[in-house]
Amino acid sequence: MKTLIISVDYPLPEDRGNRMRTMHFVRCLRRYGDVDLMCYKSHVPDQPLDTPFRKEFYIELNTDNSNSPSNTLQQLSKKFIECKPWIVNSYTDSTVKQVHSIIAEENYDIILCRYSVNAYPLLSLPEMYKKRVILDIDDLMSGELYDALNGKKSGFKKIKVFIDKIIYRKYQKRCLELGSIVFCSEQDRFIMSNKSTTVTNMYVVPNIIPNYSVNNCYKYDGKYNKNLLFVGNLAYKPNEQGIIWFINEIFKNIKEQFPDIKLTVVGRKPGDELKNLCLSDPMIELIENPPDVVPYFEQCLAVVVPLLVGGGTRIKILEAGCCRRPVITTLQGAYGLNLIEYKDLLYFENLTTFVDRLRWLNVDANYDYLVDNLAHIVESNYTESAFVRAVSTIIDNIKQTTKIDNITGVHK
């Protein structure tokens, strides 16, 4: 079996959640045969890496239009007809032809597409290839997430954004017509199943525990630490906006109740607003682009996940469970994981509820109970074997519907 994986990023090194998930797919699909990669040319690393791919293809995009909605109502009308929202503006006709040509020439058995943004060229493929597509949605684009990624607009721009959101919903519905649709959670699958006449092609492939080496010597001493920890890709707007909100609304106002508490913010590419906010408080430490996040889990009392929109790959909570640290999160931060409050983690929505949860954690028995339960759930349900089983089910169904005979692999 020969597979093409289409990704925005070059997925190495595995230093962020989206790359981790891509590489989980790579390792799984290599059980069946060769895997090729197609990614944006602008994301290719400067230095050559030891690669697991048979071939690599780099596509050139029209970056001038990639991050802004169309400039006129006439253009918006044209895009409405073409079902082409701003998020896929960067795909020109020549880029689409390039993608089609590579797929046809290589005659791939499976085309794994990470994110709906990369699905645009696949919607116009011949039917025989569309049936071979596995589209990994990953994170549903809600109206709130759209605004977080692009900023809220006013005046005429607000009208254009409103129209573009309609176009995007139409585009996302079209994506459901591809061969197999994958979600990170059952909740996302349920939401999208209500928008489609076909639900038999929808699957859940959960995220899995990062491959961390965690020393047993520190797994059980988190309750004696005084640090709160946030870990995330700060170039992702929902992460950055969430931690800024947390600092301003929560952390700055808990000093009376917890005078010794500190906050460590760990992530890549923080913006100037966040940098200045961290510099203004001696109890906040900002760590940019660390080679390893495990030492920061070692030093923390608890992990905070203050997401207000979006969800990403939810790796933060899996990391915490792996490292035996409790999680205090907004409802959105744990979206799709089906975790129970006061058993698996703690939820907060404002200063009062956060202070209440932190006090509850100060009881040793509560702390141990929470980390034991979360660790058990993560180690039981978010494993490589669970991931492989989910992908194997999809492959088997594609084999049946497409009559491809050369799909074989190791099912574990």
Side-chain angles (χ1 to χ4, degrees), residues 223 225-228 246 250-263 281 283 301 328 346 350-363:
K223 58 190 149 186
N225 296 329
K226 299 295 183 182
N227 272 20
L228 299 174
F246 178 79
I250 310 295
F251 187 74
K252 285 184 175 181
N253 297 305
I254 62 173
K255 302 295 179 67
E256 286 188 15
Q257 298 95 329
F258 304 97
D260 298 328
I261 203 77
K262 297 180 180 179
L263 173 65
D281 191 329
M283 302 299 279
L301 166 73
I328 312 176
L346 300 172
N350 51 37
L351 176 62
T352 301
T353 51
F354 187 85
V355 169
D356 178 70
R357 299 329 184 248
L358 204 52
R359 283 176 174 158
W360 188 88
L361 269 184
N362 277 338
V363 178

Side-chain angles (χ1 to χ4, degrees), residues 82-104:
E82 295 177 351
C83 196
K84 189 177 183 181
W86 73 266
I87 200 169
V88 297
N89 274 0
S90 51
Y91 277 101
T92 62
D93 291 344
S94 61
T95 305
V96 171
K97 289 179 181 178
Q98 179 189 6
V99 173
H100 286 193
S101 175
I102 292 170
I103 290 173

Side-chain angles (χ1 to χ4, degrees), residues 5-23 26 36-45 49 53 56-59 61 91 112-115 117-118 233 235-236 268-269:
I5 291 184
I6 304 176
S7 173
V8 174
D9 262 353
Y10 193 93
L12 294 171
E14 292 180 66
D15 56 358
R16 62 202 74 160
N18 64 322
R19 292 181 176 183
M20 291 177 188
R21 184 168 173 85
T22 301
M23 288 307 300
V26 171
D36 294 352
L37 174 72
M38 178 183 292
C39 70
Y40 298 176
K41 189 173 182 180
S42 58
H43 289 245
V44 177
L49 300 171
F53 305 108
E56 296 178 2
F57 303 98
Y58 312 128
I59 55 175
L61 299 177
Y91 277 101
L112 188 284
C113 179
R114 290 278 284 122
Y115 299 108
V117 62
N118 293 321
N233 177 9
Y236 180 59
R268 58 183 292 272
K269 295 186 177 180

Side-chain angles (χ1 to χ4, degrees), residues 223 360-373:
K223 58 190 149 186
W360 188 88
L361 269 184
N362 277 338
V363 178
D364 287 359
N366 292 345
Y367 190 99
D368 293 339
Y369 178 71
L370 211 65
V371 297
D372 285 345
N373 286 333

Side-chain angles (χ1 to χ4, degrees), residues 37 39 67 72 76 78 109 175 269 281 308 331 333 342 394:
L37 174 72
C39 70
N67 292 317
T72 68
L76 277 173
K78 182 174 183 290
D109 302 303
C175 288
K269 295 186 177 180
D281 191 329
L308 304 176
L331 284 171
Y342 291 114
I394 301 171

Side-chain angles (χ1 to χ4, degrees), residues 118-136:
N118 293 321
Y120 182 75
L122 309 182
L123 295 174
S124 51
L125 280 171
E127 196 63 30
M128 62 176 288
Y129 287 118
K130 287 171 71 172
K131 290 180 179 180
R132 304 179 189 184
V133 172
I134 302 173
L135 172 58
D136 183 35

